[in-house]
Amino acid sequence: MYTLPSKLKLFSIIIMVLGLVGMTYGFLTTPKTIEDVKEIMAAQEGHHSEGHEVAGDGEEHTANFVDTARGEEGYSENAMEHATDLKPEGHGVASHEEHLLHQLQTRPWSATLVAAFFFMMIALGVLVFYAIQFASQAGWSPVLYRIMEGITSYLLPGSIIVFLIVVFAGTHFFPWQNEELVAGDKILQGKAGYLNFPFFVIRGVIYLLGWNLYRYFSRKNSLAQAESNNYASYRKNFKASVFFLIFFLITEATMSWDWFMSMTPHWYSTLFPWYIFASMFVSAITVLALTTIHLKSLGLIPFVSDKHLHDLAKYMFAFSIFWTYLWFSQFMLIWYANIPEEVTYFIIRIQEYKLLFFGMLILNFVFPILVLMNSDYKRVPWFVVIAAVFILVGHYIDIFLLVMPSTVGHNWYFGIPEIAALLFFMGLFIFVVGTGLGKVSLRPKNDPFIKESENYHF
Amino acid sequence: MASRKIHAIYTDDDLLMQAVKQTRAANYHISEVFTPFPVHGLDHAVGIAPTRIAITSFLYGLLGLSVAVLMMNYIMIQDWPQNIGGKPSFTFYQNMPAFIPIMFELTVFFAGHLMVITFYMRSKLWPFKKAENPDLRTTDDHFLMEVDADNHDVEKLTKFLYDTGASEISLIENEQDH
C-alpha cells in the first residue's frame, strides 16, 4: 500500500494555494477598459523608444523568413492581416486598442488552459496507454496497471476543469463564438454548421462521458479481477478497451479541432489531431515512468524490475521521435507550400516565440535522443529522470505554443498567471494521483498475464 | 602444432545451455558452439563480450548525416544558389526543412548498410566462402559444443561431457593451427 508521503502532500497543498492566489491575481489585474490599455501602451512606448535607439539600424534585418523567401518586404504582414481572426474587419486606430485589450484579458484564461490541459492530457494519455496494454494483451505491463490507474484518477477532476474553461472562455479563445465577427465573415459562416456553441458543448460532454466512463469501468473490472477466480472481468476489460480506443481516436481528433484548432478558425491542418496525440502520449508515458521510479525508490513495488523501466524508457524515446516526425511533417509541408492562409500559423510562432519554438525541438527531440539512445542508460533511473524532465518541460512549451500565439498573440509573457496555473495544477495532480495510488494494493492479482509480467526479462 | 578438440553433440537447447554452464564452471575452455537457431542467453552463458556493432552503427549514422549536410550545402548553397520556386537558398539553415528528408535518409542509409558490411567483415562472411560447419546436423536439429582438450586429460573430459548429457562425443585432431 502506498500513502502519499506527508511532506509531498503538504508540498502539493502549498503550491495549490500559491497557484490559486497567483491565478486570482492574474484574473484581477487584467485591464478592464480601453483607457487602461492606453496607459499600458504609453508605458511600453517609453520602454520601446529607448530600446529602438540602441537597435537603430538593425531595423532592416527584422524581415522574416517568409519575406526573404518571397523577396517581398511585408508579405507576411499582409498574410497575417488577412488571416488573423481576432481582428474584426474594417478596424481603425481605436480597434487596435480594443484588440490589445481583448488579448490582455485573454492571457490569464490561456495560462490556465495551458496548465489545465497539460495535466489532463497526461492522465488521458496514460488511460490510452492502459487501454492499449489490454487490447494488445501485453505480457510485460500488468505489473504497472495499478500505477496507471492511479495516474488516471486525475482524469475526472482534470477533464471537468478543462471542459469548464473551454465552455466559459467564450470569445477569449474562440473567435467563431463572436456573432458580430461571424456575421461579417463568409469562412466562419461556412463552418458554423460545426463550429456553433450548442454543438460545441454537446461534443465536450460526449468526450467527458466517454473517457471517464471507460476509466470508471476499467478500474472497476480490474479491481474485480483481483478478487475473482475466473477471467470474466478481464474479458470485459479487453472488450471495453478495444471500443474505448476506437472512441478515443475519433473524439481525440474532434477534441483537438474543437479546443485548439478552432482558436484560429481560418487555419486548418489535417494531421493536427495526431500531433496533439503524440504530445499527449509521450508526456503520459514519461509521467508513468517517473511515478514508477518514485514508487520503486520507496521500495513499494519490488515486482517491477529495471527491465520494465527499460521498456518505458524505450516508449519515451520512440514517441519523442514520433512527435518530432509529426511536428516536422506539419511544419515542413506548410513551410514548403507557403500558402498565405496556412503559413500564418507558423509566422506568428516563429516571429514572436522564436526561442520557445525552436528550443522545444531541442528539448523534445535532441535531448531525449542523445540521453535515451544507449540501451544501458535506459535502465539507470536518474538518466530516465533527466530525460523525463526535458520531455515534460518541452511538452509544456508545446501546449503553450498551441494556445498562446492563437489567443494572446505577441502579448505573451511567462509571468505570474502562467507560473501560478502551472503550480496549481501540478499540486492538484500530485495530490489526486497520490491519493488515487494509495487506495488499493499496488500489486495486481489474478491477471492472466501477471506471472509473465513479474518474470519479464529480455 | 597439433590442436585437439572435443566435439560434444546435444539434441536439446536447454540441455546445451546447462552443459555450457557446467563446462564453464569446471574451467574447461569452450572454443565454439554451433546451433541451428539463436539460443536465448547462450552468448552470455559462453561468456562472449557484448557486441559493439550498435556503436559503429551510430558513428556511421553521424557520417551519413555529415555527408548529406556537406553535399547539399555545397550543391544548393555554395556552388550554384539558384532561386528555385522561391526557396531561400541564401544560407543552409534557411532552406534546411527542404533538406531534412535527405539528411534523414542518408543517415539511415549509412548507418544500416555500413553496419551490415561491418557485420559481414567481422564475422567473415562472403559469397563463395567455404562453410565452416563441423557437422551438417547442426544446421537442422543438433547442437554442438567444441571444447579445447589440449591441456586436459581426454578421458576425464569425455566422462565429464558425457555426464552433462552429450549424445555424441568425438575427439578431433587438427594438424594446422588456425
Side-chain angles (χ1 to χ4, degrees):
Chain A
M1 285 290 267
Y2 171 79
T3 43
L4 187 60
S6 58
K7 273 185 189 163
L8 202 56
K9 193 173 187 173
L10 192 66
F11 171 74
S12 70
I13 291 171
I14 288 173
I15 61 175
M16 265 161 80
V17 172
L18 278 178
L20 261 187
V21 171
M23 277 156 72
T24 322
Y25 169 82
F27 276 100
L28 291 180
T29 51
T30 54
K32 298 286 169 304
T33 58
I34 300 237
E35 271 63 46
D36 295 343
V37 174
K38 280 182 181 155
E39 268 175 46
I40 293 171
M41 279 169 75
Q44 277 180 348
E45 210 68 6
H47 276 289
H48 267 284
S49 53
E50 283 167 36
H52 274 292
E53 234 120 312
V54 183
D57 49 0
E59 208 65 21
E60 290 144 47
H61 299 293
T62 53
N64 65 64
F65 72 102
V66 178
D67 294 349
T68 339
R70 290 268 168 172
E72 198 180 317
E73 194 70 22
Y75 173 84
S76 63
E77 286 289 315
N78 282 333
M80 298 273 277
E81 205 70 28
H82 288 298
T84 312
D85 307 292
L86 296 169
K87 280 185 187 169
E89 290 296 314
H91 52 80
V93 183
S95 80
H96 173 64
E97 279 144 12
E98 251 170 59
H99 178 58
L100 188 60
L101 172 68
H102 185 264
Q103 292 194 333
L104 290 175
Q105 284 179 340
T106 301
R107 199 182 135 203
W109 284 94
S110 302
T112 316
L113 177 70
V114 171
F117 183 77
F118 178 68
F119 286 100
M120 184 212 82
M121 81 171 185
I122 289 171
L124 184 58
V126 171
L127 190 68
V128 177
F129 190 68
Y130 178 74
I132 290 174
Q133 304 309 309
F134 272 107
S136 62
Q137 306 193 343
W140 69 277
S141 52
V143 288
L144 303 172
Y145 280 172
R146 292 289 176 268
I147 304 172
M148 296 185 212
E149 285 161 12
I151 297 173
T152 55
S153 62
Y154 180 76
L155 183 65
L156 185 63
S159 59
I160 289 173
I161 293 171
V162 171
F163 175 75
L164 291 178
I165 294 172
V166 293
V167 165
F168 286 104
T171 53
H172 283 308
F173 289 163
F174 308 115
W176 53 266
Q177 289 185 10
N178 182 345
E179 276 166 28
E180 273 176 55
L181 190 67
V182 176
D185 192 323
K186 281 232 166 101
I187 297 177
L188 294 190
Q189 282 163 20
K191 293 186 178 185
Y194 185 80
L195 290 181
N196 62 72
F197 191 66
F199 191 28
F200 176 80
V201 176
I202 292 170
R203 287 195 304 266
V205 171
I206 293 174
Y207 311 154
L208 236 63
L209 279 179
W211 300 339
N212 284 300
L213 283 178
Y214 170 70
R215 158 58 178 58
Y216 175 76
F217 283 110
S218 66
R219 164 86 163 171
K220 208 176 124 195
N221 284 328
S222 178
L223 293 184
Q225 180 62 53
E227 306 298 322
S228 79
N229 49 13
N230 59 35
Y231 290 134
S233 306
Y234 175 81
R235 290 206 179 87
K236 268 192 219 160
N237 247 2
F238 174 80
K239 267 185 207 156
S241 305
V242 172
F243 286 111
F244 168 70
L245 286 174
I246 298 169
F247 175 82
F248 172 78
L249 273 185
I250 297 164
T251 51
E252 198 272 334
T254 53
M255 178 272 282
S256 25
W257 300 337
D258 287 358
W259 295 352
F260 296 102
M261 208 148 89
S262 82
M263 285 173 174
T264 47
H266 282 186
W267 181 81
Y268 50 86
S269 161
T270 319
L271 63 70
F272 192 70
W274 274 110
Y275 168 66
I276 296 196
F277 170 73
S279 205
M280 173 187 294
F281 208 52
V282 67
S283 338
I285 294 165
T286 305
V287 169
L288 179 58
L290 277 181
T291 318
T292 310
I293 290 172
H294 169 66
L295 293 173
K296 182 91 183 147
S297 71
L298 294 177
L300 290 164
I301 41 173
F303 44 91
V304 175
S305 68
D306 61 349
K307 314 283 194 302
H308 296 99
L309 185 62
H310 188 151
D311 260 25
L312 287 172
K314 272 196 274 192
Y315 271 107
M316 284 160 64
F317 177 72
F319 277 93
S320 288
I321 296 171
F322 179 67
W323 175 87
T324 317
Y325 167 58
L326 293 181
W327 178 88
F328 180 70
S329 302
Q330 179 169 281
F331 174 74
M332 196 264 252
L333 284 181
I334 290 173
W335 173 87
Y336 210 106
N338 209 4
I339 303 170
E341 67 198 56
E342 287 181 350
V343 83
T344 47
Y345 184 82
F346 286 111
I347 291 177
I348 189 165
R349 277 161 182 78
I350 291 176
Q351 277 185 340
E352 308 287 344
Y353 297 78
K354 195 168 217 141
L355 182 68
L356 287 185
F357 189 72
F358 293 110
M360 154 178 103
L361 272 185
I362 295 175
L363 285 169
N364 287 342
F365 177 63
V366 181
F367 285 166
I369 244 197
L370 293 179
V371 176
L372 290 177
M373 186 174 303
N374 189 317
S375 111
D376 294 333
Y377 293 171
K378 292 197 197 76
R379 296 184 189 201
V380 183
W382 64 270
F383 253 100
V384 180
V385 170
I386 287 177
V389 170
F390 288 144
I391 291 174
L392 288 178
V393 172
H395 284 283
Y396 173 79
I397 296 175
D398 188 19
I399 302 300
F400 190 84
L401 285 178
L402 280 180
V403 174
M404 286 292 176
S406 310
T407 55
V408 304
H410 64 272
N411 296 303
W412 71 280
Y413 185 69
F414 195 78
I416 291 175
E418 286 80 9
I419 295 168
L422 191 59
L423 286 181
F424 174 75
F425 287 103
M426 193 197 285
L428 189 66
F429 187 82
I430 294 173
F431 187 78
V432 173
V433 171
T435 330
L437 281 171
K439 283 190 179 136
V440 287
S441 158
L442 287 171
R443 191 189 206 107
K445 284 193 198 106
N446 293 333
D447 187 278
F449 295 103
I450 191 73
K451 196 135 200 159
E452 179 181 342
S453 181
E454 284 179 5
N455 297 317
Y456 175 67
H457 75 284
F458 57 87
Chain B
M1 189 189 123
S3 70
R4 292 189 303 168
K5 313 250 181 200
I6 286 190
H7 285 177
I9 289 184
Y10 298 84
T11 52
D12 186 87
D13 52 339
D14 286 336
L15 208 56
L16 173 79
M17 279 293 278
Q18 230 172 12
V20 164
K21 281 174 192 159
Q22 287 170 2
T23 313
R24 290 249 299 159
N27 276 330
Y28 291 117
H29 180 249
I30 301 169
S31 54
E32 198 68 83
V33 180
F34 296 88
T35 64
F37 53 78
V39 177
H40 188 76
L42 184 64
D43 52 342
H44 184 71
V46 176
I48 295 172
T51 172
R52 287 168 298 183
I53 202 153
I55 299 168
T56 67
S57 180
F58 180 74
L59 297 176
Y60 296 145
L62 291 183
L63 177 69
L65 185 64
S66 320
V67 168
V69 170
L70 292 174
M71 175 182 79
M72 282 181 298
N73 185 48
Y74 176 68
I75 296 174
M76 303 301 290
I77 311 293
Q78 305 297 334
D79 190 36
W80 198 356
Q82 281 207 102
N83 183 339
I84 303 168
K87 285 283 157 284
S89 51
F90 311 107
T91 59
F92 184 78
Y93 79 88
Q94 274 179 308
N95 211 358
M96 195 164 91
F99 301 150
I100 285 196
I102 297 158
M103 284 154 66
F104 170 76
E105 291 295 345
L106 277 187
T107 308
V108 175
F109 179 87
F110 273 65
H113 288 83
L114 291 182
M115 177 180 74
V116 167
I117 292 170
T118 308
F119 169 73
Y120 285 152
M121 287 166 70
R122 289 292 290 152
S123 53
K124 302 191 177 67
L125 274 178
W126 51 83
F128 311 114
K129 179 192 161 78
K130 196 169 175 300
E132 288 172 355
N133 207 319
D135 192 312
L136 266 184
R137 290 171 300 172
T138 59
T139 62
D140 184 13
D141 60 351
H142 282 61
F143 303 82
L144 189 149
M145 180 169 73
E146 191 179 82
V147 184
D148 280 348
D150 274 338
N151 305 318
H152 299 290
D153 179 359
V154 174
E155 288 290 308
K156 225 173 104 190
L157 181 52
T158 311
K159 174 80 177 58
F160 173 80
L161 290 173
Y162 180 76
D163 287 343
T164 62
S167 58
E168 282 178 44
I169 298 170
S170 42
L171 181 67
I172 310 288
E173 296 209 36
N174 269 344
E175 275 312 316
Q176 83 276 29
D177 204 354
H178 63 104

PDB file of all heavy atoms in Angstrom, chain B residues 124-142:
ATOM      1  N   LYS B 124      33.328 -12.651 -40.924  1.00  0.00           N
ATOM      2  CA  LYS B 124      33.990 -13.317 -42.058  1.00  0.00           C
ATOM      3  C   LYS B 124      32.989 -14.076 -42.926  1.00  0.00           C
ATOM      4  O   LYS B 124      33.073 -15.284 -43.101  1.00  0.00           O
ATOM      5  CB  LYS B 124      35.088 -14.258 -41.555  1.00  0.00           C
ATOM      6  CG  LYS B 124      36.134 -13.549 -40.714  1.00  0.00           C
ATOM      7  CD  LYS B 124      37.335 -14.444 -40.469  1.00  0.00           C
ATOM      8  CE  LYS B 124      38.409 -13.714 -39.693  1.00  0.00           C
ATOM      9  NZ  LYS B 124      38.004 -13.386 -38.304  1.00  0.00           N
ATOM     10  N   LEU B 125      32.049 -13.321 -43.447  1.00  0.00           N
ATOM     11  CA  LEU B 125      31.023 -13.900 -44.319  1.00  0.00           C
ATOM     12  C   LEU B 125      31.129 -13.252 -45.693  1.00  0.00           C
ATOM     13  O   LEU B 125      31.175 -12.025 -45.791  1.00  0.00           O
ATOM     14  CB  LEU B 125      29.632 -13.601 -43.767  1.00  0.00           C
ATOM     15  CG  LEU B 125      29.046 -14.528 -42.731  1.00  0.00           C
ATOM     16  CD1 LEU B 125      27.676 -14.005 -42.300  1.00  0.00           C
ATOM     17  CD2 LEU B 125      28.900 -15.933 -43.280  1.00  0.00           C
ATOM     18  N   TRP B 126      31.219 -14.060 -46.744  1.00  0.00           N
ATOM     19  CA  TRP B 126      31.160 -13.514 -48.092  1.00  0.00           C
ATOM     20  C   TRP B 126      30.737 -14.620 -49.044  1.00  0.00           C
ATOM     21  O   TRP B 126      30.788 -15.805 -48.679  1.00  0.00           O
ATOM     22  CB  TRP B 126      32.521 -12.916 -48.504  1.00  0.00           C
ATOM     23  CG  TRP B 126      33.691 -13.825 -48.305  1.00  0.00           C
ATOM     24  CD1 TRP B 126      34.109 -14.803 -49.138  1.00  0.00           C
ATOM     25  CD2 TRP B 126      34.584 -13.839 -47.190  1.00  0.00           C
ATOM     26  NE1 TRP B 126      35.206 -15.434 -48.631  1.00  0.00           N
ATOM     27  CE2 TRP B 126      35.528 -14.869 -47.437  1.00  0.00           C
ATOM     28  CE3 TRP B 126      34.682 -13.082 -46.007  1.00  0.00           C
ATOM     29  CZ2 TRP B 126      36.550 -15.167 -46.537  1.00  0.00           C
ATOM     30  CZ3 TRP B 126      35.709 -13.383 -45.133  1.00  0.00           C
ATOM     31  CH2 TRP B 126      36.626 -14.421 -45.395  1.00  0.00           C
ATOM     32  N   PRO B 127      30.337 -14.276 -50.263  1.00  0.00           N
ATOM     33  CA  PRO B 127      29.953 -15.308 -51.228  1.00  0.00           C
ATOM     34  C   PRO B 127      31.132 -16.236 -51.515  1.00  0.00           C
ATOM     35  O   PRO B 127      32.277 -15.795 -51.473  1.00  0.00           O
ATOM     36  CB  PRO B 127      29.582 -14.512 -52.475  1.00  0.00           C
ATOM     37  CG  PRO B 127      29.329 -13.136 -52.017  1.00  0.00           C
ATOM     38  CD  PRO B 127      30.165 -12.922 -50.812  1.00  0.00           C
ATOM     39  N   PHE B 128      30.844 -17.451 -51.767  1.00  0.00           N
ATOM     40  CA  PHE B 128      31.848 -18.485 -52.094  1.00  0.00           C
ATOM     41  C   PHE B 128      32.755 -18.819 -50.918  1.00  0.00           C
ATOM     42  O   PHE B 128      33.773 -19.464 -51.087  1.00  0.00           O
ATOM     43  CB  PHE B 128      32.706 -18.096 -53.316  1.00  0.00           C
ATOM     44  CG  PHE B 128      31.878 -17.633 -54.470  1.00  0.00           C
ATOM     45  CD1 PHE B 128      31.940 -16.325 -54.905  1.00  0.00           C
ATOM     46  CD2 PHE B 128      31.011 -18.501 -55.104  1.00  0.00           C
ATOM     47  CE1 PHE B 128      31.156 -15.881 -55.944  1.00  0.00           C
ATOM     48  CE2 PHE B 128      30.219 -18.069 -56.157  1.00  0.00           C
ATOM     49  CZ  PHE B 128      30.295 -16.753 -56.572  1.00  0.00           C
ATOM     50  N   LYS B 129      32.394 -18.327 -49.753  1.00  0.00           N
ATOM     51  CA  LYS B 129      33.183 -18.712 -48.584  1.00  0.00           C
ATOM     52  C   LYS B 129      32.907 -20.184 -48.276  1.00  0.00           C
ATOM     53  O   LYS B 129      31.772 -20.651 -48.371  1.00  0.00           O
ATOM     54  CB  LYS B 129      32.777 -17.863 -47.391  1.00  0.00           C
ATOM     55  CG  LYS B 129      33.534 -18.203 -46.131  1.00  0.00           C
ATOM     56  CD  LYS B 129      32.860 -17.532 -44.931  1.00  0.00           C
ATOM     57  CE  LYS B 129      33.279 -18.179 -43.638  1.00  0.00           C
ATOM     58  NZ  LYS B 129      34.596 -17.764 -43.203  1.00  0.00           N
ATOM     59  N   LYS B 130      33.985 -20.899 -47.896  1.00  0.00           N
ATOM     60  CA  LYS B 130      33.826 -22.312 -47.569  1.00  0.00           C
ATOM     61  C   LYS B 130      33.148 -22.429 -46.199  1.00  0.00           C
ATOM     62  O   LYS B 130      33.584 -21.797 -45.238  1.00  0.00           O
ATOM     63  CB  LYS B 130      35.211 -22.973 -47.525  1.00  0.00           C
ATOM     64  CG  LYS B 130      35.158 -24.480 -47.570  1.00  0.00           C
ATOM     65  CD  LYS B 130      36.547 -25.034 -47.789  1.00  0.00           C
ATOM     66  CE  LYS B 130      36.552 -26.558 -47.705  1.00  0.00           C
ATOM     67  NZ  LYS B 130      36.108 -27.079 -46.416  1.00  0.00           N
ATOM     68  N   ALA B 131      32.088 -23.203 -46.133  1.00  0.00           N
ATOM     69  CA  ALA B 131      31.352 -23.338 -44.878  1.00  0.00           C
ATOM     70  C   ALA B 131      32.239 -23.987 -43.816  1.00  0.00           C
ATOM     71  O   ALA B 131      33.028 -24.894 -44.110  1.00  0.00           O
ATOM     72  CB  ALA B 131      30.102 -24.167 -45.091  1.00  0.00           C
ATOM     73  N   GLU B 132      32.113 -23.493 -42.585  1.00  0.00           N
ATOM     74  CA  GLU B 132      32.992 -23.979 -41.501  1.00  0.00           C
ATOM     75  C   GLU B 132      32.255 -24.954 -40.596  1.00  0.00           C
ATOM     76  O   GLU B 132      32.595 -25.093 -39.428  1.00  0.00           O
ATOM     77  CB  GLU B 132      33.481 -22.798 -40.670  1.00  0.00           C
ATOM     78  CG  GLU B 132      34.492 -21.942 -41.380  1.00  0.00           C
ATOM     79  CD  GLU B 132      34.797 -20.680 -40.588  1.00  0.00           C
ATOM     80  OE1 GLU B 132      34.145 -20.464 -39.559  1.00  0.00           O
ATOM     81  OE2 GLU B 132      35.679 -19.926 -41.032  1.00  0.00           O
ATOM     82  N   ASN B 133      31.226 -25.568 -41.154  1.00  0.00           N
ATOM     83  CA  ASN B 133      30.379 -26.376 -40.285  1.00  0.00           C
ATOM     84  C   ASN B 133      30.999 -27.730 -39.989  1.00  0.00           C
ATOM     85  O   ASN B 133      31.311 -28.477 -40.901  1.00  0.00           O
ATOM     86  CB  ASN B 133      29.042 -26.574 -40.991  1.00  0.00           C
ATOM     87  CG  ASN B 133      27.969 -26.773 -39.986  1.00  0.00           C
ATOM     88  OD1 ASN B 133      28.199 -27.472 -39.009  1.00  0.00           O
ATOM     89  ND2 ASN B 133      26.830 -26.155 -40.208  1.00  0.00           N
ATOM     90  N   PRO B 134      31.205 -28.077 -38.730  1.00  0.00           N
ATOM     91  CA  PRO B 134      31.846 -29.360 -38.402  1.00  0.00           C
ATOM     92  C   PRO B 134      30.897 -30.537 -38.577  1.00  0.00           C
ATOM     93  O   PRO B 134      31.355 -31.659 -38.740  1.00  0.00           O
ATOM     94  CB  PRO B 134      32.235 -29.197 -36.943  1.00  0.00           C
ATOM     95  CG  PRO B 134      31.258 -28.214 -36.407  1.00  0.00           C
ATOM     96  CD  PRO B 134      30.921 -27.295 -37.524  1.00  0.00           C
ATOM     97  N   ASP B 135      29.643 -30.304 -38.537  1.00  0.00           N
ATOM     98  CA  ASP B 135      28.678 -31.400 -38.606  1.00  0.00           C
ATOM     99  C   ASP B 135      27.401 -30.860 -39.233  1.00  0.00           C
ATOM    100  O   ASP B 135      26.827 -29.891 -38.747  1.00  0.00           O
ATOM    101  CB  ASP B 135      28.379 -31.920 -37.188  1.00  0.00           C
ATOM    102  CG  ASP B 135      27.615 -33.238 -37.246  1.00  0.00           C
ATOM    103  OD1 ASP B 135      26.623 -33.308 -38.015  1.00  0.00           O
ATOM    104  OD2 ASP B 135      28.015 -34.177 -36.530  1.00  0.00           O
ATOM    105  N   LEU B 136      26.953 -31.501 -40.322  1.00  0.00           N
ATOM    106  CA  LEU B 136      25.802 -30.997 -41.070  1.00  0.00           C
ATOM    107  C   LEU B 136      24.541 -30.893 -40.210  1.00  0.00           C
ATOM    108  O   LEU B 136      23.707 -30.029 -40.417  1.00  0.00           O
ATOM    109  CB  LEU B 136      25.505 -31.929 -42.248  1.00  0.00           C
ATOM    110  CG  LEU B 136      26.151 -31.534 -43.566  1.00  0.00           C
ATOM    111  CD1 LEU B 136      25.688 -32.477 -44.666  1.00  0.00           C
ATOM    112  CD2 LEU B 136      25.785 -30.100 -43.929  1.00  0.00           C
ATOM    113  N   ARG B 137      24.421 -31.770 -39.220  1.00  0.00           N
ATOM    114  CA  ARG B 137      23.181 -31.804 -38.438  1.00  0.00           C
ATOM    115  C   ARG B 137      22.989 -30.557 -37.582  1.00  0.00           C
ATOM    116  O   ARG B 137      21.893 -30.272 -37.145  1.00  0.00           O
ATOM    117  CB  ARG B 137      23.171 -33.050 -37.545  1.00  0.00           C
ATOM    118  CG  ARG B 137      23.003 -34.337 -38.320  1.00  0.00           C
ATOM    119  CD  ARG B 137      23.218 -35.516 -37.412  1.00  0.00           C
ATOM    120  NE  ARG B 137      24.564 -35.491 -36.833  1.00  0.00           N
ATOM    121  CZ  ARG B 137      24.982 -36.323 -35.885  1.00  0.00           C
ATOM    122  NH1 ARG B 137      24.158 -37.212 -35.382  1.00  0.00           N
ATOM    123  NH2 ARG B 137      26.201 -36.251 -35.427  1.00  0.00           N
ATOM    124  N   THR B 138      24.077 -29.798 -37.352  1.00  0.00           N
ATOM    125  CA  THR B 138      23.921 -28.600 -36.509  1.00  0.00           C
ATOM    126  C   THR B 138      23.146 -27.502 -37.216  1.00  0.00           C
ATOM    127  O   THR B 138      22.804 -26.500 -36.590  1.00  0.00           O
ATOM    128  CB  THR B 138      25.283 -28.020 -36.100  1.00  0.00           C
ATOM    129  OG1 THR B 138      26.001 -27.690 -37.282  1.00  0.00           O
ATOM    130  CG2 THR B 138      26.055 -28.984 -35.259  1.00  0.00           C
ATOM    131  N   THR B 139      22.884 -27.658 -38.524  1.00  0.00           N
ATOM    132  CA  THR B 139      22.023 -26.665 -39.179  1.00  0.00           C
ATOM    133  C   THR B 139      20.563 -27.094 -39.135  1.00  0.00           C
ATOM    134  O   THR B 139      19.691 -26.384 -39.612  1.00  0.00           O
ATOM    135  CB  THR B 139      22.424 -26.469 -40.647  1.00  0.00           C
ATOM    136  OG1 THR B 139      22.241 -27.712 -41.331  1.00  0.00           O
ATOM    137  CG2 THR B 139      23.856 -26.034 -40.767  1.00  0.00           C
ATOM    138  N   ASP B 140      20.324 -28.276 -38.607  1.00  0.00           N
ATOM    139  CA  ASP B 140      18.942 -28.771 -38.611  1.00  0.00           C
ATOM    140  C   ASP B 140      18.400 -28.911 -37.191  1.00  0.00           C
ATOM    141  O   ASP B 140      17.618 -28.091 -36.735  1.00  0.00           O
ATOM    142  CB  ASP B 140      18.914 -30.103 -39.365  1.00  0.00           C
ATOM    143  CG  ASP B 140      17.513 -30.647 -39.517  1.00  0.00           C
ATOM    144  OD1 ASP B 140      16.566 -29.876 -39.252  1.00  0.00           O
ATOM    145  OD2 ASP B 140      17.356 -31.818 -39.879  1.00  0.00           O
ATOM    146  N   ASP B 141      18.849 -29.914 -36.451  1.00  0.00           N
ATOM    147  CA  ASP B 141      18.263 -30.107 -35.127  1.00  0.00           C
ATOM    148  C   ASP B 141      19.262 -30.566 -34.060  1.00  0.00           C
ATOM    149  O   ASP B 141      18.851 -31.070 -33.030  1.00  0.00           O
ATOM    150  CB  ASP B 141      17.100 -31.098 -35.217  1.00  0.00           C
ATOM    151  CG  ASP B 141      17.536 -32.453 -35.737  1.00  0.00           C
ATOM    152  OD1 ASP B 141      18.691 -32.558 -36.182  1.00  0.00           O
ATOM    153  OD2 ASP B 141      16.737 -33.392 -35.700  1.00  0.00           O
ATOM    154  N   HIS B 142      20.571 -30.393 -34.309  1.00  0.00           N
ATOM    155  CA  HIS B 142      21.541 -30.783 -33.281  1.00  0.00           C
ATOM    156  C   HIS B 142      22.381 -29.574 -32.859  1.00  0.00           C
ATOM    157  O   HIS B 142      22.501 -28.605 -33.612  1.00  0.00           O
ATOM    158  CB  HIS B 142      22.466 -31.891 -33.802  1.00  0.00           C
ATOM    159  CG  HIS B 142      21.809 -33.239 -33.782  1.00  0.00           C
ATOM    160  ND1 HIS B 142      20.667 -33.512 -34.504  1.00  0.00           N
ATOM    161  CD2 HIS B 142      22.131 -34.388 -33.131  1.00  0.00           C
ATOM    162  CE1 HIS B 142      20.310 -34.772 -34.292  1.00  0.00           C
ATOM    163  NE2 HIS B 142      21.170 -35.325 -33.464  1.00  0.00           N
TER     164      HIS B 142
END
